[in-house]
């Protein structure tokens, strides 16, 4: 479902109603930029250093789209041979546009990327949904609906009273004095039910409202309002005073309250969905989602904390159900390498399930494995995919949320679609890891194990992945956003890392890799696998496995 300011209230009503019962919620964002020249990512960045750079970026650029997908677990279906996870998906692709007074900053490379991927910029500029930070939303409610909650009343009490307006120009003083004199004469007479004050600018109208409030605040039956005689000229407003009975005043007050509530809802916009999301305490799913969280917290909640530790506390407060990253989880899943050679008494050779951790590649493999498992089960040959696991995930789209059944609209880098394939991939990984680890870590291939995990306990076996998000181009494997945690340098068992410095700045990655090749060069010869990452312009980190270390180091010495 595409969400703009035309249907945001309907979308929010549905979202608020259903999110408390969601099994999990996946998020994805598209932004107007994620790179700044003075915030270049370096391999030796600590998580705290990287956070400081990303914090600056998230504070500078804007959000174009927020994709939100709710997966509701509707049951487990199957037969004695196995059961499938069944979900109903609801996806909201929300165009979010900053409110009045906020700057819009566009990075040309980000714009070019989004244009190439079909971004509807007219929908963003023309129909984008407004949003407010937490304090701005509270202040707005205090202004429009001051008696709605204790929080807003407390805020009103804290606000310093504004000094009364005054007039400096003699002609303004004369005009307003005449208007108030004429108003008093009308009120004290048995004249008509309404009286129109002289046309004037907005400043003078505010002054006249102030004086009418001062003079007639406790006068029964007195009422005054602004009207727009011609909607095409909304700036031309008329002030009209009225005599009203008690019943008319009560009816007018009810209409005014309804209008203020509608105004409040309209100006909140996406903030309603954000508030429902953070209040739900449901597990949040992202893919490589550190930037997504930073942008959301910065634009929907408040200015980002100065330190990484402060950000971890904030994430724990906003998302107590945990944040799970499909890139982190996918990196940990291994399967038996059926093509590898092993002796009968040896453990099976393991390989990563996902050779590539890009979102589209993750989803493609999860989807193909799910389809293989469903096809196999339908043929009554067992409910396993080619990975020898029961990976049946059945997803149906709720009414009004079937946009991505149309393949022409299932476009990568549309936030809604990316959030959907993130949710699907997580559902697959959740089931896959449950079968490998079990509800208590001992394997969970039986129907009883699968049934043991209900809609509100669907991530307990992924506790080691909770709040762990990846960091690109870093010695650190990722950052743990659990409050109070520390982050450690990456070390992989069976792997060596060597820091090499002093290269000419003109050297490229291929120049460095050639240093690890055999000498003399033999046509068609295989060279050991070496991974090179630049730390800065003259230093690299070279990684290779212990199994090839002797050859690699010998080549380098030669």
């Amino acid at each position: 479902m595409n969400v703009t300011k035309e249907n945001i209230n309907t979308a929010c009503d549905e979202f608020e109603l259903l999110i408390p019962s969601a099994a999990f919620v996946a998020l994805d964002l598209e932004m107007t930029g994620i790179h700044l020249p003075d915030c270049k990512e370096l391999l030796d960045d600590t998580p705290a250093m990287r956070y400081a750079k990303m914090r600056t970026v998230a504070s500078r650029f804007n959000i174009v789209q927020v994709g939100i997908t709710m997966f509701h677990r509707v049951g487990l279906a199957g037969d004695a041979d196995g059961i499938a996870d069944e979900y109903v998906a609801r996806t909201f692709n929300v165009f979010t546009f900053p409110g009045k007074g906020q700057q819009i900053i566009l990075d040309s490379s980000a714009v070019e990327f989004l244009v190439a991927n079909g971004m509807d910029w007219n929908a963003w500029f023309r129909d984008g949904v407004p949003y407010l930070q937490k304090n701005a939303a509270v202040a707005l409610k205090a202004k429009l609906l001051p008696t709605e909650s204790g929080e807003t009343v407390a805020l009103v009490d804290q606000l310093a009273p504004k000094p009364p307006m005054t007039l400096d120009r003699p002609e303004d003083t004369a005009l307003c004095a005449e208007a108030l004199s004429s108003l008093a004469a009308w009120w004290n007479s048995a004249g008509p039910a309404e009286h129109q004050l002289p046309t004037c600018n907005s400043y003078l109208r505010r002054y006249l409202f102030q004086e009418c409030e001062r003079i007639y605040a406790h006068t029964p039956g007195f009422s005054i309002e602004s009207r727009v005689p011609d909607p095409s000229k909304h700036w031309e407003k008329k002030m009209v005073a009225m005599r009203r009975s008690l019943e008319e005043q009560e009816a007018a007050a009810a209409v005014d309250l309804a209008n203020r509530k509608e105004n409040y809802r309209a100006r909140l916009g996406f903030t309603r969905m954000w508030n429902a999301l953070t209040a739900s305490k449901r597990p949040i799913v992202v893919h490589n989602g550190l930037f997504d969280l930073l942008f959301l917290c910065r634009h929907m909640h408040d200015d980002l904390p100065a330190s990484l530790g402060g950000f971890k506390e904030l994430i724990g407060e906003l998302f107590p159900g945990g944040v799970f990253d499909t890139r982190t989880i996918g990196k940990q899943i291994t399967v038996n390498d059926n093509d590898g050679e092993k002796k009968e008494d040896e453990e099976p050779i393991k390989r990563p399930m996902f050779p590539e951790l890009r979102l589209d590649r993750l989803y493609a493999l999860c989807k193909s494995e799910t389809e293989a498992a469903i096809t196999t089960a339908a043929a009554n040959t067992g409910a396993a995919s080619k990975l020898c696991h029961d990976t049946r995930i059945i997803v149906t789209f709720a009414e009004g949320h079937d946009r991505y059944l149309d393949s022409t609209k299932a476009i990568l880098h549309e936030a809604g679609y990316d959030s959907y394939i993130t949710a699907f991939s997580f559902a697959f990984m959740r089931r896959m890891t449950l079968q490998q680890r079990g509800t208590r870590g001992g394997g969970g291939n039986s129907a009883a194990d699968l049934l043991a995990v209900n809609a509100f306990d669907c991530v307990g076996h992924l506790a080691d992945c909770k709040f762990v998000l990846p960091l690109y181009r870093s010695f650190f494997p990722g950052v743990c956003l659990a409050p109070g945690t520390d982050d450690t340098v990456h070390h992989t068992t069976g792997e060596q890392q060597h820091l090499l410095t002093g290269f000419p700045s003109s050297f490229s990655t291929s120049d460095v890799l050639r240093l690890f090749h055999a000498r003399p060069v033999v046509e068609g010869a295989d060279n050991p696998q070496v991974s090179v990452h630049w730390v800065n312009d003259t230093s690299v980190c070279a990684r290779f496995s212990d199994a090839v270390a002797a050859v690699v180091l010998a080549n380098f010495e030669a």
Side-chain angles (χ1 to χ4, degrees):
M1 172 192 292
N2 268 351
V3 180
T4 64
K5 62 184 179 184
E6 299 301 321
N7 64 339
I8 180 61
N9 282 336
T10 301
C12 286
D13 290 343
E14 181 182 16
F15 189 76
E16 290 170 343
L17 177 66
L18 294 174
I19 191 171
S21 58
F24 54 86
V25 184
L27 303 174
D28 186 84
L29 271 62
E30 298 300 331
M31 306 88 154
T32 61
I34 57 171
H35 296 294
L36 287 171
D38 55 343
C39 294
K40 186 177 179 181
E41 298 172 348
L42 299 175
L43 194 60
D44 58 350
D45 284 344
T46 64
M49 294 165 61
R50 185 67 60 84
Y51 169 77
K53 295 177 179 180
M54 297 176 75
R55 174 179 180 265
T56 301
V57 171
S59 301
R60 186 81 57 87
F61 293 109
N62 307 96
I63 302 173
V64 180
Q65 287 179 341
V66 179
I68 306 180
T69 294
M70 293 188 292
F71 263 35
H72 282 81
R73 193 104 171 268
V74 295
L76 298 168
D79 50 35
D81 293 327
I83 51 180
D85 283 346
E86 288 193 271
Y87 296 93
V88 172
R90 293 174 175 85
T91 296
F92 303 85
N93 185 54
V94 189
F95 290 85
T96 57
F97 194 79
K100 292 181 179 180
Q102 298 185 49
Q103 288 187 329
I104 296 174
I105 299 178
L106 303 171
D107 177 70
S108 59
S109 59
V111 171
E112 182 180 10
F113 173 81
L114 292 174
V115 167
N117 286 281
M119 175 60 68
D120 186 348
W121 291 100
N122 283 331
W124 187 55
F125 284 112
R126 184 183 58 237
D127 300 320
V129 178
Y131 55 85
L132 296 171
Q133 285 188 328
K134 179 182 178 180
N135 289 338
V138 170
L140 178 65
K141 191 171 186 179
K143 178 181 178 181
L144 296 179
L145 305 167
T147 61
E148 285 284 306
S149 71
E151 180 181 20
T152 55
V153 171
L155 178 63
V156 172
D157 292 340
Q158 294 172 11
L159 295 176
K162 294 182 179 179
M165 296 176 64
T166 58
L167 302 177
D168 298 325
R169 299 171 57 190
E171 57 268 35
D172 291 341
T173 303
L175 185 150
C176 290
E178 174 60 28
L180 291 171
S181 175
S182 174
L183 176 63
W186 164 79
W187 180 253
N188 294 320
S189 71
E194 294 187 353
H195 173 77
Q196 182 173 307
L197 278 72
T199 301
C200 55
N201 61 39
S202 60
Y203 184 85
L204 296 183
R205 285 199 302 272
R206 287 172 54 204
Y207 177 80
L208 288 171
F209 269 115
Q210 169 191 284
E211 293 303 293
C212 287
E213 175 73 16
R214 180 179 62 82
I215 298 169
Y216 299 99
H218 303 292
T219 303
F222 180 87
S223 180
I224 189 167
E225 64 182 27
S226 285
R227 296 178 183 174
V228 181
D230 185 354
S232 65
K233 299 179 180 179
H234 60 84
W235 60 90
E236 294 184 357
K237 296 181 179 180
K238 306 291 185 182
M239 293 181 67
V240 179
M242 295 159 286
R243 305 178 198 269
R244 283 176 170 166
S245 66
L246 179 61
E247 293 77 10
E248 289 173 332
Q249 284 183 310
E250 290 176 347
V255 171
D256 178 64
L257 178 60
N259 289 337
R260 283 188 281 116
K261 285 185 175 181
E262 183 59 30
N263 184 17
Y264 175 65
R265 279 161 55 96
R267 291 171 68 178
L268 272 187
F270 180 76
T271 306
R272 287 182 60 196
M273 298 184 84
W274 169 254
N275 290 341
L277 177 70
T278 55
S280 72
K281 300 179 172 58
R282 306 310 307 132
I284 303 300
V285 181
V286 293
H287 180 83
N288 197 34
L290 185 53
F291 256 140
D292 300 274
L293 296 177
L294 285 162
F295 270 82
L296 280 172
C297 291
R298 166 62 180 82
H299 293 275
M300 306 302 166
H301 183 72
D302 201 352
D303 292 348
L304 292 168
S307 69
L308 176 58
F311 183 65
K312 292 181 180 185
E313 294 294 331
L314 176 62
I315 291 297
E317 172 190 334
L318 294 176
F319 305 115
V323 178
F324 298 85
D325 196 296
T326 51
R327 186 180 179 92
T328 297
I329 302 170
K331 192 173 183 178
Q332 294 186 8
I333 299 177
T334 59
V335 294
N336 293 344
D337 187 354
N338 297 325
D339 297 329
E341 297 183 3
K342 72 177 187 70
K343 297 180 181 179
E344 191 171 318
D345 58 343
E346 290 180 338
E347 288 292 321
I349 299 173
K350 298 288 186 178
R351 64 172 176 83
M353 178 179 174
F354 299 100
E356 295 184 74
L357 294 172
R358 269 177 34 185
L359 178 57
D360 57 331
R361 303 296 171 83
L362 281 178
Y363 172 68
L365 185 51
C366 293
K367 183 71 171 172
S368 66
E369 289 298 327
T370 295
E371 291 172 347
I374 292 173
T375 301
T376 304
N380 294 319
T381 56
S385 68
K386 58 189 177 185
L387 297 174
C388 300
H389 287 281
D390 183 354
T391 53
R392 286 180 289 167
I393 306 293
I394 299 173
V395 178
T396 56
F397 289 99
E399 183 179 355
H401 294 270
D402 55 358
R403 172 178 173 81
Y404 301 124
L405 287 177
D406 182 349
S407 60
T408 64
K409 297 177 181 177
I411 304 171
L412 284 171
H413 306 298
E414 177 172 290
Y417 181 67
D418 284 0
S419 73
Y420 167 70
I421 63 177
T422 298
F424 187 98
S425 300
F426 178 77
F428 176 94
M429 293 177 184
R430 188 208 71 83
R431 184 177 174 93
M432 184 80 175
T433 52
L434 175 62
Q435 292 183 59
Q436 291 183 336
R437 303 178 180 187
T439 56
R440 296 175 179 82
N445 287 297
S446 70
D449 281 315
L450 294 173
L451 287 166
V453 183
N454 61 38
F456 282 84
D457 185 27
C458 67
V459 294
H461 62 293
L462 293 172
D464 59 323
C465 299
K466 189 175 182 179
F467 291 119
V468 180
L469 279 73
L471 281 181
Y472 270 128
R473 294 179 288 277
S474 174
F475 284 125
F476 290 75
V479 56
C480 181
L481 296 182
T485 55
D486 295 318
D487 300 287
T488 57
V489 176
H490 176 58
H491 177 72
T492 302
T493 302
E495 180 184 83
Q496 294 190 20
Q497 299 183 29
H498 294 263
L499 183 64
L500 307 175
T501 63
F503 290 104
S505 58
S506 59
F507 255 46
S508 65
T509 300
S510 58
D511 294 325
V512 176
L513 285 174
R514 277 194 289 270
L515 297 176
F516 299 98
H517 292 175
R519 295 288 190 279
V521 176
V522 178
E523 188 69 27
D526 291 331
N527 288 291
Q529 181 68 36
V530 178
S531 175
V532 168
H533 299 276
W534 288 92
V535 177
N536 51 44
D537 290 341
T538 61
S539 305
V540 301
C541 174
R543 295 178 177 175
F544 44 86
S545 69
D546 289 339
V548 298
V551 176
V552 170
L553 294 174
N555 290 344
F556 183 75
E557 291 296 330

